[in-house]
Amino acid sequence: MRVSLFTEPHRGATYDDQLRLARHAEDGGFEGYLRADHYQSMGADPGLPGPTDAWLTLAGLARETSRLRLGTLVSSATFRLPGPLAIMVAQVDAMSGGRVELGLGAGWLEREHTSYGIPFPPLGERFDRLEEQLAIITGLWSTPDGARFSHEGKHYRLLDAPALPKPVQRPGPPIIIGGRGAKRTPELAGRFADEFNMPFKTVSETAAAFDRVRAASKRYGRSVTLSAGIVVAIGRTDAEAERRAAPLHVPSALPPEDPVVGSPDTLVQRIGEFAAIGATRVHLRVIDMSDLDHVELIASRVLPQLGEL
């Protein structure tokens, strides 16, 4: 079982906070450090000192870590144009020595778009744009050296792009598509993704999503890694676990989740349940990014038990 740490810096974290946590994750044996890509907190708390850009942050972490895989869960297709995003991710891939993963989604939090003047089209158009972005980004990365790439779509037009720079990972960094949607999400995952992530839902809901992605990937003659996101609040005692879970009771714009609150063994059991339905990777979302003891507890009491999963 591959285990990555997942964070939400929009809740309130500087670059230095993220670097400190990423280094603890690397030292603790986690495979990766992935972060959300949001420009605003989702509750009443403003998340001081304010947002940090995901790809600027990952570029910095690329130079200040040595082993961790780095990426987004997930970047919003509404935030960036696909051509510049392909360049950006390829550059960070080079800066990291080939350790980058691109999670890309349609975007969903209208309020952050309104706050920062980012267009927020209707849901169907957002998915259309996501589909085009995936085709463009993977097309640019896979264009042979010396060749040019063009795309004529409803929302984007590229003409004779030199398709540079090339990422270190060829044909490109792994693409992660995640989400709870039952129709277009699994279809896009089956067509484009290297990994499908079901975020923070029950084992049974995740199993149903996995089945939809398996069916879609089979139609395209592809194989997709299946992963699960898990919100974690574990402790050496029940009181410690409940203290870490307290922020989960604060109202936010997030849909309902199925967190693991309890002992390290409780988390091991849940990861085992996800492994049983086909997950080969989990992304553990820690709530308080300053709680380094939480990360160390997972590293010392959970990761060593996962070798046979």
Side-chain angles (χ1 to χ4, degrees):
M1 179 63 70
R2 301 162 58 199
V3 184
S4 292
L5 204 61
F6 172 63
T7 66
E8 295 186 324
H10 56 273
R11 292 175 179 265
T14 66
Y15 172 75
D16 286 338
D17 294 330
Q18 294 171 73
L19 174 60
R20 189 178 305 112
L21 188 59
R23 284 176 167 166
H24 268 74
E26 185 165 71
D27 292 343
F30 289 86
E31 181 201 44
Y33 176 92
L34 289 89
R35 57 155 286 167
D37 188 3
H38 284 290
Y39 289 130
Q40 192 168 345
S41 68
M42 298 177 189
D45 187 331
L48 296 176
T52 53
D53 182 83
W55 285 101
L56 282 175
T57 298
L58 293 172
L61 296 180
R63 306 302 291 177
E64 299 194 83
T65 58
S66 60
R67 183 188 56 78
L68 276 180
R69 297 199 63 79
L70 303 165
T72 50
L73 274 180
V74 292
S75 285
S76 172
T78 57
F79 288 173
R80 304 169 184 88
L81 295 172
L85 179 59
I87 292 170
M88 191 182 308
V89 177
Q91 181 178 353
V92 179
D93 194 46
M95 292 169 71
S96 70
R99 293 184 282 127
V100 159
E101 306 182 18
L102 171 61
L104 194 61
W108 64 274
L109 186 60
E110 182 174 8
R111 158 173 102 201
E112 65 184 334
H113 292 75
T114 303
S115 293
Y116 287 100
I118 303 169
F120 188 72
L123 180 61
E125 181 179 333
R126 297 201 306 275
F127 267 97
D128 290 344
R129 288 179 177 273
L130 171 62
E131 183 173 359
E132 275 197 61
Q133 290 212 4
L134 288 163
I136 291 167
I137 291 167
T138 56
L140 286 166
W141 288 343
S142 60
T143 296
D145 293 344
R148 299 259 169 171
F149 175 83
S150 296
H151 171 88
E152 188 72 46
K154 182 178 180 180
H155 301 288
Y156 306 102
R157 180 175 185 263
L158 284 74
L159 181 62
D160 290 335
L164 296 171
K166 297 298 187 194
V168 171
Q169 299 174 90
R170 303 297 293 267
I175 299 287
I176 304 172
I177 294 176
R180 305 168 179 85
K183 295 181 180 179
R184 296 195 68 177
T185 297
E187 195 68 17
L188 291 175
R191 180 180 170 190
F192 292 106
D194 298 285
E195 175 181 334
F196 169 76
N197 176 256
M198 181 61 162
F200 319 127
K201 302 302 284 184
T202 66
V203 175
S204 61
E205 290 172 303
T206 302
F210 283 179
D211 286 342
R212 292 191 290 266
V213 172
R214 287 189 185 100
S217 60
K218 185 176 181 180
R219 289 194 292 273
Y220 289 101
R222 303 179 68 250
S223 179
V224 178
T225 294
L226 301 171
S227 70
I230 311 174
V231 182
V232 297
I234 65 170
R236 298 168 185 84
T237 65
D238 289 344
E240 186 175 75
E242 289 296 337
R243 174 179 60 78
R244 288 185 166 129
L248 298 176
H249 306 302
V250 177
S252 82
L254 288 170
E257 300 171 333
D258 187 41
V260 172
V261 180
S263 68
D265 288 344
T266 303
L267 178 55
V268 172
Q269 179 180 345
R270 177 69 63 85
I271 294 173
E273 292 168 354
F274 280 124
I277 63 169
T280 57
R281 190 182 195 188
V282 291
H283 301 277
L284 305 183
R285 190 182 102 201
V286 292
I287 304 159
D288 180 358
M289 294 182 61
S290 67
D291 187 358
L292 302 181
D293 180 65
H294 195 192
V295 175
E296 291 169 2
L297 179 62
I298 297 169
S300 64
R301 298 278 296 278
V302 175
L303 296 189
Q305 299 190 60
L306 303 180
E308 298 182 2
L309 295 183

